[in-house]
Amino acid sequence: QVQLVESGGGLVQAGGSLRLSCVASGNIFSINPVGWYRQAPGKQREFVARIFSGGWTDYSDSVKGRFTISRDNAKITVYLQMNSLKPEDTGVYFCHGRGGVNEYWGQGTQVTVSS
């Protein structure tokens, strides 16, 4: 089917930047959109950003102006560029893809922002 694998998480100081990557394999061209979600300990998973096949993007209000979602030319990898990071951005970030009635999730990558 489809597999999504995230990478790029780590520890960064407040105000710093990280870039996350999501590599897709399988029937990848059936997926639309691809997005990012995050989950902090004790909290529900929340939407962060998504990108559609035509290039249109959508962001959570909490990350607008700071995060940018993009996709490579081959549409194999989706990126999340995170700038001006805040401690409240800390959490496990998951790549997500929708393919018709199916949903696919990556394993998650930890992002920790220190104050």
Side-chain angles (χ1 to χ4, degrees), residues 8-12 16-20 80-83 85 111-112:
L11 175 64
V12 65
S17 299
L18 284 173
R19 189 176 76 158
L20 307 183
L80 185 68
Q81 178 66 47
M82 305 185 294
N83 299 325
L85 282 162
V111 172
T112 303

Side-chain angles (χ1 to χ4, degrees), residues 102-115:
N102 301 121
E103 290 185 81
Y104 305 95
W105 293 93
Q107 83 288 348
T109 185
Q110 176 70 43
V111 172
T112 303
V113 184
S114 64
S115 59

